[in-house]
Amino acid sequence: MDGRDLVRSVTLVGSLRTGQGLRTVRAAWRRRRADAAGLERRGAERARVPGVLREAESGPGGGVVRFERAELRILVAVNGAVFWGWDGAGPEPSYALAGRCPEPDPRVALEPDKDGGWRVVAERVTVAVSRHGAVEVRTPGGVTLRRESPPRWWEPAGGGRARWMQRSEVTADARFFGLGGRASGPRLRDGTYRLWNTGPGAASGAGDDPLSVTMPVQVVVADAGTHLVFYDSSWDGSVVLREGEEGAGSGHDRPGTSVLRMEGGPLRCWVSVGTPARVLHTWAALTGAPALPPAWALGHHHARWASGGEREVRRVVAGYQERGLPLDAVHLGAGHFDGHRGFTVDEERFPKLPQLAADLRADGIRLVSVVAPAVPAEPGDAVYDGGAARDAFVRDAAGEVVRGVAWSGDAVFPDFTHARVRAWWGGLYEERLTQGFAGFWHGMDEPTSFAAFGEPTLPRSARHALEGRRGDHREAHNVYALCMARAGYEGLRDLVPGQRPFVFSRSGWAGVQRYGGTWSGEVATGWPGLRASLALVLGLGLCGVPYSGTDIAGSDGSPSPELYLRWFQLGAYLPLFRTHAGPGAGRREPWEFGEEVLQYARVALVERRRLLPYFMTLAHLARRTGAPYVRPLWWSAPEDRALRDCEDAFLLGDCLLVAPVLDPGTDRRAVRLPRGRWYDTATGRAYEGPAQVLVEAPAARIPVFVRAGAVLPVSGADGGLELEVWAPARGRTGGGLVVPDAGDGFGEPEIERYVARWRGPRLEVEREGPDGGSEPPYPVRVRGRVDG
């Protein structure tokens, strides 16, 4: 904590009730004192670079290159990913990896390179190391995608933790993406991006950074190819990005640059090279397959931070039912707790919560409970007593339990970096399940102060188990929410073995997709917030988190009917489709914004319900391939520079292109189309890409296009699965995938492949199989230009 943190705390005294504000100030002073006593003073430092190369030793999948003052280990895994680590750093231990490091590729060896350097040549990539410690990542054809300059360390003169800097160059035409959920994305322009999960302090807007999910993951797209680089350190850091510039005439190109500074941790990274699909598949193989949500989680959710009691919940549900609006889940915020305790229901407002849950379940609606890591520091509270008996709470350098501030007062925090604590916490979800809850929403898990959004709760000197390695909060902070998600997910797997856990978190880190999804957090109500929401979802998908979404219309303020409707229409095409009103915000049900908004919101809800089989197919494909549901337009054509620069539209799977309305007063908009024929789904008109087209965007809908030849699984009028086939151009074929799903459970259903082709004047659709084609087992409906 620094002086600015203290000033922010003091300003809260006037805005919060006095007792809460004073608690916040006292907590800020406690953090400051704890850090002053518990953190080492750096003092004088000495800089170090690798020096000149001395020798190299080949080993499985690569080898070790030794310099005067450093050592570099290189390994190519069997999945094509490349690892390198400096000064003895290996791939493990790592919170990002799913299990053990992949086996090394036995075909790869370290061999001499030109000018006294060494290189590793693999099937998809060549990694060259210069005699001074620069590392180049090249395509099989020899084109350099990324050049890492020799790293630099700053080490305390008396020994101890080193901070470090890594400068990289990419080609002049390259574009940066990733770094977690970034409101300023999805394309990351020149600027500084901090790597420290943070509650924004208020509802966040397009320029706010950092936010709740930061990751040292870059996806770089250039003419020569796409690559992903992950620097596996969870410490506080920053990345300074500067896009390159191509020379005009005889001028020289200026490469793009990335300068990464980390306050600690190993200097190690993973790189994968190839098409965007291959890169994300490799990333998923490293960090784990995304958790598969239950089918109901792909429907429409409604949430309120202050739930208002059982009567309010029944009022909301009745409002949806009376108006014929689909609803699949109701989320209860902190208002359903007794004094905002994390596992104690307020029995005055919810006297018969299990009966409420059963009534809603009978109508196909699930209850979702918010869960936060803060535990009231009150002896007699069951969770507090249980955690204290197990020594489960984070302690400071002096061995005292750290106290932060929650809505209800002083709070303590479990150390989720300890397996024993995760197991205890995961068992607590049994109480929620017995109350009838079917899913869990993790909030305030950065962790930040409940009384002052954006304030750190735990001092940097706080001690954590870190799976037995021991360390402080500087290393544990960014992975705290990841470990909490793991505790919840694994606890639910044990408690309800036959059901897919539904867990999504406000915060997280690389690998959080193994345990569920995320959402955009408290995005500001306004048109910039709407644009930021799309950027966040796209960025998270490129970092391996396919299931995410936004709070429709933002979390604060009063949206206009137009803003609410346009946000609602975007949300209908995102994986997590949730209306939500944050603390102090008014009601956000569609009928609260007038008859016209209600009419058009119904259209969006019905279309989402119709597309649920397609969303379920995308969920299964994401689990098997790592491909996000929501993809940038350049996903299948990264060499198309116009698509790389397009940030106001996206692909939903391979088949659909969605062009949301992101500005007020818009009734038509320009849409950039990738190569091929695309149909406007509303008018049926065909367009040929690549092109930019101007289309109508009335209040009733946002423009949505479908790829010619697409075979889409949709829900028919009777609720059964149908195949919607959009005619390919004459002489061309089309196709699509369908993954039928039982709605829950952990079975691995077969991927069904369908092909659409012209046979004379007739368009035929067949299911592909080992013995040839067969008739589809579902009704088929052909749309589009069947006349060619």
Side-chain angles (χ1 to χ4, degrees), residues 194-436:
R194 193 177 176 194
L195 299 167
W196 185 256
N197 291 346
T198 304
S204 58
D208 290 327
D209 188 86
L211 295 178
S212 298
V213 187
T214 68
M215 300 183 197
V217 179
Q218 293 180 24
V219 176
V220 184
V221 184
D223 288 353
T226 300
H227 72 274
L228 180 150
V229 59
F230 166 55
Y231 298 94
D232 193 355
S233 171
S234 62
W235 286 67
D236 192 0
S238 65
V239 183
V240 180
L241 299 179
R242 185 184 182 192
E243 291 184 341
E245 184 177 344
E246 294 179 294
S250 59
H252 294 290
D253 288 352
R254 176 174 59 80
T257 59
S258 165
V259 180
L260 172 64
R261 291 179 172 85
M262 282 287 188
E263 291 302 309
L267 203 176
R268 58 183 181 179
C269 77
W270 286 92
V271 174
S272 61
V273 174
T275 64
R278 183 180 291 277
V279 162
L280 265 294
H281 185 266
T282 302
W283 177 239
L286 284 173
T287 61
L292 187 67
W296 61 263
L298 294 170
H300 176 53
H301 304 233
H302 184 83
R304 279 187 64 84
W305 180 255
S307 55
E310 179 177 336
R311 180 177 298 179
E312 174 68 7
V313 172
R314 291 190 183 275
R315 181 198 69 82
V316 169
V317 171
Y320 275 91
Q321 293 173 335
E322 290 167 4
R323 294 167 177 85
L325 303 177
L327 181 64
D328 297 272
V330 173
H331 295 213
L332 302 188
H336 78 285
F337 293 137
D338 179 9
H340 300 285
R341 299 179 185 181
F343 289 93
T344 306
V345 172
D346 186 335
E347 294 186 356
E348 289 187 9
R349 283 180 290 172
F350 292 92
K352 298 179 180 179
L353 186 56
Q355 184 60 52
L356 172 64
D359 292 345
L360 297 185
R361 181 72 68 95
D363 291 328
I365 302 170
R366 269 71 171 184
L367 276 182
V368 175
S369 173
V370 70
V371 176
V375 175
E378 299 177 7
D381 176 81
V383 178
Y384 175 81
D385 290 346
R390 294 169 174 80
D391 189 22
F393 301 125
V394 176
R395 295 180 177 271
D396 62 18
E400 299 295 324
V401 173
V402 175
R403 292 196 174 200
V405 179
W407 287 107
S408 58
D410 286 350
V412 294
F413 294 82
D415 182 6
F416 294 117
T417 69
H418 196 303
R420 172 176 51 80
V421 176
R422 289 196 297 270
W424 163 69
W425 185 266
L428 296 178
Y429 289 73
E430 183 175 14
E431 190 274 343
R432 303 278 79 198
L433 294 172
T434 60
Q435 294 283 355

Side-chain angles (χ1 to χ4, degrees), residues 29 34 325 341 345 371 387 451 559 586 627 645 654 658 666 702 709 781:
W29 278 112
L325 303 177
R341 299 179 185 181
V345 172
V371 176
D645 294 340
D654 286 330
V658 182
T666 300
I702 57 176
R781 185 160 61 99

